């Protein structure tokens, strides 16, 4: 793997895990009223587009990191609706 692929993979991993602290907080507190579901829907659309792009150009780092991001976005959207009215 070339150096630029490692940079791309690292950037993708860091971007993908950026929502983990929010997900952990919502799961721990069982509260999501302060989390915007619209933000995660927009992220899902963007990550979905990146995922599709990764498929089109057959780039594994883009594909893997954005598939993971889509899963986390979907999880956060689910958690938002699951815990949105908890106080």
């Amino acid at each position: 793997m070339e150096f630029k692929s490692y940079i791309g993979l690292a950037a993708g991993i860091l971007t993908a895990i950026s929502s983990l602290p929010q997900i952990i907080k919502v799961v721990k507190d069982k509260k999501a009223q302060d989390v915007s579901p619209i933000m995660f829907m927009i992220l899902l659309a963007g990550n979905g587009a990146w995922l599709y792009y990764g498929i089109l150009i057959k780039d594994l780092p883009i594909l893997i990191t954005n598939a993971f991001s889509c899963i986390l976005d979907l999880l956060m959207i689910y958690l938002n609706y699951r815990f949105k009215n908890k106080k």
Side-chain angles (χ1 to χ4, degrees), residues 67-86:
F68 183 69
S69 291
C70 285
I71 291 167
L72 292 181
D73 295 340
L74 287 168
L75 176 60
M76 191 62 228
I77 291 167
Y78 166 76
L79 291 172
N80 188 274
Y81 285 103
R82 171 83 168 86
F83 297 121
K84 71 178 179 177
N85 293 322
K86 302 277 181 157

Side-chain angles (χ1 to χ4, degrees), residues 18-72:
S18 67
S19 61
L20 277 177
Q22 186 67 62
I23 290 170
I24 291 167
K25 182 171 177 27
V26 168
V27 169
K28 181 181 169 194
D29 297 343
K30 294 186 178 21
K31 292 189 282 185
Q33 69 270 11
D34 295 333
V35 178
S36 170
I38 304 275
M39 182 189 113
F40 283 93
M41 289 177 194
I42 293 168
L43 277 173
L44 179 60
N47 288 326
W50 273 110
L51 175 60
Y52 184 59
Y53 176 70
I55 292 168
L56 290 176
I57 66 167
K58 297 178 176 82
D59 187 299
L60 206 53
I62 291 175
L63 208 154
I64 291 170
T65 57
N66 285 287
F68 183 69
S69 291
C70 285
I71 291 167
L72 292 181

